Amino acid sequence: MPKYIFTTGGVVSSLGKGLTSASIGLLLEARGLKVAMQKLDPYINVDPGTMNPFQHGEVYVTADGAETDLDLGHYERFTHATINRHSNYTTGQIYNEVIRKERRGDYLGACIQVVPHITNHIKSCIERVNGRVDVVITEIGGTVGDIEGLPFLEAIRQMGLEKGRGNTMFVHLTLIPYLRASGEVKTKPTQHSVAKLREIGVLPDALICRTTVPLSRDHREKISLFCNVPPEAVIEEKDVDHSIYEVPIILRKEGLDDLIVRHLGLEAGGVPDLSAWERMLDIVIRPDGEVEIAVVGKYMALHDAYKSVYEALAHGGIANRVRVKFRKVSSQDVEEKGAESLLSGVHGILVPGGFGIRGIEGKVAAIRHAREKGIPFFGICLGMQCASIEAARNLAGLPDAHSTEFAKDTPHPIISLLEEQRTVRDMGGTMRLGNYSCHVLVGSAARRAYGAEVVHERHRHRFEFNNEYRDRLEQHGFVATGINEDHDLVEIVEYRDHPWFVGVQFHPEFRSKPTAPHPLFRDFIAAAVARAGGEASK
Ligand code: GLN
């Protein structure tokens, strides 16, 4: 039977519960344990797929095609846990399933209530995830005190009772603010947050305290006394200096994994093996150089909107021992100010995925700039579609070429809907989602990167490259180098006579890890390094 760790958060949102949960997973794996990771989100949407990135940040896509919370990205980057559609449940999804069962008559005349029916269903979702693992780590989204989070807290309280104290552990993440004017750290919000949890019946076994200043012994003792946890279970999580990848190391130094192993009676003594992670971190902290990459998109004010893209770019940097500096460029600004002025001096340009017409012409202009100036270019999903539009318009002599997403009646639908998408009415969960295979052409940049003929990558889109234009664009050097043979779909496009220009219909960023950078990101950054070197020697 697996053991269960539940992470909750208090005081404020965005404390880094996802990162902390992922770090716990990494530390336990480093001690030879097998973990499963899961996030329960209290909002009503069935999944975040229909939410605006400004609301919710990026939608993270799993290999089995679920549209999920971006914290799952941290889980996949930090651990080897199997991440799939059972790794993320929302209130909406749970109610949906319970109501469906009620309509079917499965409850045999019972009156359906939050306790026990919804809470039972939540518990079954937690148990569904486990497989054959030693520890299941379940993160509860939101902040203690939120009305909508109550059924989840009630469910984990019940699990604590049912499984027994030594089989469950409650970890509460909280903020210890520092008041600069009086030079004091304040523990009161944490006391209130824990009081709230205890009112519900959840007694935390460890408190992870986010802080900007180190906690003194006195602080730890005070938190221990008022919050009813032993002093050694007051864990300091100080702001990191360089990278979020330092978090596991910080928590290790505070003895969090020892505490967990002891509390849950796990047979995983000794010292965790963090050597690969530390080697990676050493490059992050002490890189040999730097390249600057422009990311040209729609939601540049919100880092989380393209979270996995920035992460994967940083991983590409790690593979090349350089730091990747981001120039976040709004594609609408490119429309107003021109590509030349906003993109001058960058060593690579990336256009990420997206939806909607706003800023499309700016993306096309940025791609033209990359093509004409020989700047390494990486187009992802919408970025690949815009590269196809650019090629059609400016090389193949089709000035009206467009995607039917943006111009329904364009005479040259370079990007268009497949037949199966034309009849779709529901917006949620109906895109082409998750893993599809791709055959990669010998001699292409993609093939050199992958070193394999067949790859599997994750998708999230409705529109596709229109095969009727394939020959015409190939005559102008714009070549399809990756094909899904089952459906005859173009997956990768390239220019052969360009230092590095690759557009992909899928989302490689979801498969990249700091200790295993994605090959396309690795080679894109390598091309950027070459460009930076070329400039330096001029
Ligand atoms: N809007 C485009 C489509 O649906 C691209 C989607 C994306 O970039 N994820 O096909």
Side-chain angles (χ1 to χ4, degrees):
M1 198 188 74
K3 310 272 180 167
Y4 293 87
I5 296 174
F6 298 104
T7 50
T8 54
V11 182
V12 293
S13 59
S14 307
L15 275 182
K17 241 183 311 144
L19 263 177
T20 303
S21 305
S23 301
I24 293 174
L26 180 138
L27 290 176
L28 295 183
E29 281 190 349
R31 300 181 76 127
L33 296 164
K34 201 162 176 336
V35 303
M37 307 269 330
Q38 183 186 45
K39 170 104 191 259
L40 303 179
D41 275 310
Y43 53 73
I44 315 288
N45 304 57
V46 171
D47 62 43
T50 53
M51 264 190 261
N52 184 317
F54 249 145
Q55 280 281 323
H56 191 266
E58 94 181 348
V59 174
Y60 188 80
V61 183
T62 59
D64 65 340
E67 299 176 270
T68 69
D69 186 80
L70 56 75
D71 277 334
L72 274 70
H74 292 309
Y75 304 165
E76 280 212 83
R77 288 187 282 271
F78 279 56
T79 75
H80 299 89
T82 306
I83 299 297
N84 57 28
R85 58 182 62 256
H86 300 303
S87 314
N88 192 198
Y89 283 96
T90 70
T91 294
Q93 198 174 340
I94 286 159
Y95 272 80
N96 222 10
E97 289 175 16
V98 169
I99 291 171
R100 211 176 319 129
K101 274 167 57 183
E102 183 273 333
R103 293 288 80 184
R104 237 175 16 214
D106 289 6
Y107 293 108
L108 305 174
C111 168
I112 311 305
Q113 297 179 300
V114 173
V115 183
H117 301 95
I118 295 295
T119 49
N120 280 351
H121 198 76
I122 294 172
K123 287 188 284 182
S124 77
C125 293
I126 296 171
E127 307 218 47
R128 255 182 233 171
V129 80
N130 63 41
R132 241 185 252 142
V133 298
D134 302 300
V135 184
V136 177
I137 302 167
T138 298
E139 174 189 349
I140 312 295
T143 309
V144 168
D146 297 346
I147 292 175
E148 55 190 16
L150 278 174
F152 292 97
L153 297 176
E154 168 60 16
I156 63 172
R157 179 196 69 76
Q158 291 173 17
M159 273 189 87
L161 187 69
E162 288 160 16
K163 307 269 176 204
R165 220 180 151 248
N167 296 319
T168 49
M169 182 166 184
F170 297 100
V171 175
H172 189 55
L173 188 68
T174 174
L175 176 73
I176 308 285
Y178 171 71
L179 297 188
R180 210 181 320 181
S182 55
E184 290 174 294
V185 302
K186 289 295 185 187
T187 65
K188 191 73 85 189
T190 295
Q191 294 175 36
H192 282 303
S193 177
V194 171
K196 199 84 205 149
L197 260 183
R198 289 166 70 187
E199 203 177 286
I200 300 160
V202 172
L203 311 184
D205 300 302
L207 282 179
I208 302 188
C209 303
R210 285 295 310 274
T211 170
T212 49
V213 296
L215 297 179
S216 69
R217 218 191 133 119
D218 282 356
H219 294 135
R220 288 176 194 251
E221 280 173 3
K222 189 170 174 194
I223 295 169
S224 155
L225 178 67
F226 282 91
C227 299
N228 194 46
V229 294
E232 69 274 14
V234 177
I235 305 287
E236 173 188 298
E237 189 181 316
K238 213 164 98 36
D239 289 356
V240 291
D241 296 324
H242 306 277
S243 158
I244 54 171
Y245 300 144
E246 290 170 72
V247 174
I249 307 295
I250 290 179
L251 295 177
R252 162 77 195 137
K253 282 195 186 126
E254 286 282 302
L256 179 61
D257 51 315
D258 292 331
L259 186 78
I260 293 173
V261 164
R262 241 182 295 127
H263 180 98
L264 294 175
L266 294 162
E267 277 162 33
V271 186
D273 177 8
L274 292 166
S275 51
W277 195 262
E278 278 168 343
R279 270 198 306 280
M280 173 278 290
L281 199 54
D282 190 58
I283 300 174
V284 173
I285 296 172
R286 280 171 287 273
D288 293 343
E290 179 178 276
V291 291
E292 188 176 7
I293 302 296
V295 177
V296 184
K298 190 168 171 183
Y299 302 107
M300 303 326 291
L302 186 73
H303 192 80
D304 276 358
Y306 304 110
K307 180 88 193 160
S308 295
V309 170
Y310 295 126
E311 290 285 305
L313 282 170
H315 305 163
I318 292 168
N320 290 282
R321 306 192 71 90
V322 294
R323 190 175 92 88
V324 177
K325 187 173 163 196
F326 306 124
R327 189 184 299 182
K328 298 177 179 177
V329 179
S330 149
S331 54
Q332 270 185 304
D333 286 351
V334 177
E335 289 171 9
E336 283 160 31
K337 298 181 191 136
E340 187 75 53
S341 72
L342 292 173
L343 299 173
S344 75
V346 297
H347 308 113
I349 296 174
L350 183 146
V351 177
F355 298 82
I357 194 169
R358 183 157 62 82
I360 287 294
E361 295 306 324
K363 291 176 188 172
V364 172
I367 294 166
R368 178 176 196 164
H369 181 78
R371 173 174 61 79
E372 290 179 345
K373 303 279 186 235
I375 303 170
F377 171 78
F378 198 5
I380 294 179
C381 208
L382 182 62
M384 171 270 199
Q385 297 177 355
C386 287
S388 310
I389 294 168
E390 197 278 321
R393 288 185 187 172
N394 300 324
L395 289 176
L398 306 169
D400 299 325
H402 220 320
S403 161
T404 56
E405 180 179 2
F406 313 121
K408 263 203 169 57
D409 303 317
T410 169
H412 295 294
I414 293 292
I415 306 293
S416 64
L417 279 185
L418 286 188
E419 208 44 53
E420 66 206 46
Q421 279 287 340
R422 287 184 210 267
T423 48
V424 167
R425 292 284 167 267
D426 274 1
M427 285 295 123
T430 55
M431 284 188 249
R432 182 179 173 213
L433 287 168
N435 265 10
Y436 285 85
S437 66
C438 171
H439 274 76
V440 193
L441 207 70
V442 177
S444 65
R447 180 68 179 256
R448 278 193 296 280
Y450 282 117
E453 187 189 342
V454 182
V455 296
H456 294 85
E457 294 282 3
R458 302 182 197 177
H459 291 247
R460 180 174 185 253
H461 58 105
R462 287 187 203 286
F463 294 81
E464 303 281 352
F465 185 92
N466 183 346
N467 281 333
E468 289 186 15
Y469 291 90
R470 210 153 117 188
D471 288 346
R472 185 145 179 187
L473 290 188
E474 293 209 344
Q475 283 162 19
H476 292 88
F478 188 79
V479 200
T481 58
I483 303 289
N484 173 276
E485 294 191 341
D486 300 332
H487 303 94
D488 194 24
L489 293 172
V490 173
E491 301 278 22
I492 309 177
V493 293
E494 296 181 21
Y495 287 109
R496 287 249 163 78
D497 56 351
H498 186 286
W500 207 88
F501 189 111
V502 175
V504 294
Q505 184 57 82
F506 44 79
H507 289 274
E509 69 273 24
F510 296 141
R511 277 207 314 130
S512 191
K513 291 172 186 253
T515 46
H518 191 287
L520 290 175
F521 281 91
R522 181 199 63 209
D523 283 12
F524 173 53
I525 298 300
V529 170
R531 182 168 178 95
E535 266 175 14
S537 61
K538 255 186 226 162

